[in-house]
Amino acid sequence: MSMDKFDFDATLLTVNFATRLLAMELDKDTLLDRTLEAFCDLGSCKDAAILGYDRKGDLFIYAASLDLERTFPNEQIPMTKAMEEAAKSRAPVTRPKLEGSKYPLPGDSCAECPETCLCIPLVGSRDLVKGFVTLYRKNDKPWSIAELFQLGIISTVAAISYENSELFRLTIEDSLTGLYMRRYLFIRLDEEVQRIKRRGGDLSVIMVDIDHFKLVNDSYGHATGDEALKQVANILLENSRRGADIVCRYGGEEFAILMPGSKKEDAMIVAERMRIGCAESNILTTNGEIKVTISAGVANSDECDLLAGDTMLRIADKRLYDAKKAGRNQVVCEG
């Protein structure tokens, strides 16, 4: 087989892989996780990062793979000259790794440093740069033309997928907390139920309610209540499994966390982590610090008939109110 034939076949496989893995995914965290996986796999590296601009135009690291361990730093960083060059040319650039950075970021060139940090611009519609993907190899193996071509294909698919996920999220995102709304919970619940019917597996759900929330509104006003809701939402998100769990505002002060691939024991651990996170946090509001707690109920797909996916939600919701009847600030997983 000739080299041209080999490269052509490899490119077709890459397009197919990228399309299946990224193009149909609308959940942002899952998309970040899958993008890191795709770039590390095709780039033959363990370290990668995804950078993007916020609404103010500042650059943030949204996700990183460090020795294949995924993190979601959401950390602001300055633009480097290599990034500026990649943004201007709309093409990949290679540089040494930025000295002193734990993330794989491109630094300035130097004669004695191997250029093993690759910076690829994420170019979306209207030729706009949405951010960057950076890759780092811990050896001096150069990036081949075939690799750059294949990674360029992945970057295009990823950029368009991010745009689609942003547009979709606007229709299903709660404007107050930034979490998914109830309608998206049922979309994903139906998808996961169908997946389990085809392939088997686990699915868990956590129903969460803020204890005595009416008292917060009555004592401090609804503006303070909204501040508390946003901070509790952040605590739930921080204690969920990023890239795996779907955290939603179910309604009012009630939340639901859908956990694909999770056994009941795993969901219990996450629910307890969320409960402790709320109990140990001081909620900062314009009326000063306040304390809030949550109650939670946990259910798993093994406990119910999944012909109707909302059966599991009803079980978890019942256990949530069992937790409230038992004194609040606790997680109930049975009964």
Side-chain angles (χ1 to χ4, degrees):
M1 181 182 293
S2 69
M3 181 60 71
D4 289 342
K5 177 64 175 175
F6 174 83
D7 288 347
F8 179 73
D9 288 345
T11 299
L12 285 179
L13 288 173
T14 299
V15 173
N16 183 47
F17 172 78
T19 302
R20 286 188 292 107
L21 190 67
L22 305 178
M24 299 303 293
E25 182 55 58
L26 293 172
D27 179 71
K28 181 180 177 181
D29 285 345
T30 304
L31 187 57
L32 288 170
D33 192 66
R34 288 184 176 180
T35 302
L36 283 174
E37 178 184 351
F39 274 98
C40 286
D41 186 24
L42 292 170
S44 301
C45 62
K46 296 181 178 181
D47 295 347
I50 301 174
L51 292 69
Y53 298 103
D54 68 0
R55 293 174 183 175
K56 297 179 181 179
D58 295 323
L59 191 64
F60 282 77
I61 293 183
Y62 289 132
S65 175
L66 303 176
D67 201 22
L68 295 183
E69 182 178 348
R70 309 286 168 76
T71 63
F72 298 86
N74 201 30
E75 180 179 323
Q76 185 176 354
I77 62 165
M79 285 275 287
T80 66
K81 291 181 179 179
M83 295 176 197
E84 292 175 354
E85 182 180 334
K88 184 177 180 180
S89 66
R90 304 295 197 271
V93 299
T94 54
R95 293 289 187 275
K97 182 180 177 184
L98 183 65
E99 186 175 355
S101 173
K102 69 176 180 178
Y103 301 112
L105 301 178
D108 296 325
S109 296
C110 62
E112 58 274 6
C113 299
E115 296 188 343
T116 55
C117 191
L118 178 65
C119 180
I120 306 172
L122 294 172
V123 184
S125 61
R126 299 192 300 266
D127 203 35
L128 295 177
V129 176
K130 308 293 293 185
F132 307 91
V133 173
T134 61
L135 308 176
Y136 171 61
R137 286 175 173 169
K138 295 179 181 177
N139 55 48
D140 57 0
K141 180 183 177 182
W143 302 91
S144 69
I145 293 176
E147 284 178 317
L148 293 177
F149 186 58
Q150 292 178 0
L151 292 169
I153 293 173
I154 294 289
S155 69
T156 300
V157 175
I160 299 299
S161 297
Y162 287 131
E163 290 183 339
N164 290 340
S165 71
E166 288 173 356
L167 290 173
F168 180 66
R169 191 174 181 107
L170 290 175
T171 69
I172 49 129
E173 185 180 274
D174 176 54
S175 59
L176 176 64
T177 63
L179 300 180
Y180 291 117
M181 291 190 293
R182 181 172 177 161
R183 73 174 71 167
Y184 185 63
L185 171 70
F186 285 100
I187 291 173
R188 289 303 301 265
L189 177 62
D190 183 62
E191 290 176 354
E192 292 303 324
V193 167
Q194 296 306 317
R195 180 185 60 80
I196 289 175
K197 289 177 181 178
R198 291 194 308 269
R199 304 177 184 175
D202 288 290
L203 177 65
S204 293
V205 67
I206 306 169
M207 297 297 292
V208 172
D209 192 80
I210 302 176
D211 298 326
H212 299 298
F213 189 70
K214 184 176 183 300
L215 184 60
V216 174
N217 282 330
D218 291 345
S219 301
Y220 302 102
H222 287 277
T224 297
D226 286 349
E227 291 175 325
L229 274 172
K230 287 191 285 187
Q231 292 182 55
V232 169
N234 286 335
I235 292 170
L236 299 183
L237 196 59
E238 289 169 358
N239 287 283
S240 67
R241 303 174 306 167
R242 296 292 296 271
D245 300 337
I246 297 100
V247 185
C248 307
R249 186 182 180 191
Y250 196 73
E253 66 272 20
E254 192 169 8
F255 304 87
I257 300 91
L258 195 65
M259 303 180 64
S262 172
K263 295 185 180 298
K264 187 176 179 180
E265 294 77 13
D266 300 324
M268 290 164 56
I269 292 171
V270 170
E272 183 62 16
R273 197 163 62 212
M274 291 175 172
R275 185 197 67 78
I276 293 172
C278 287
E280 294 183 348
S281 296
N282 293 318
I283 304 299
L284 304 177
T285 75
T286 52
N287 283 313
E289 293 184 1
I290 63 174
K291 299 288 289 187
V292 300
T293 61
I294 61 171
S295 298
V298 177
N300 182 267
S301 54
D302 287 342
E303 302 178 276
C304 60
D305 181 0
L306 277 177
L307 289 176
D310 59 353
T311 304
M312 187 173 58
L313 293 178
R314 289 198 297 271
I315 294 173
D317 202 47
K318 178 185 180 299
R319 290 172 181 171
L320 161 62
Y321 283 94
D322 288 344
K324 286 189 172 292
K325 291 176 184 177
R328 295 180 170 83
N329 190 25
Q330 57 187 281
V331 176
V332 171
C333 308
E334 303 292 342

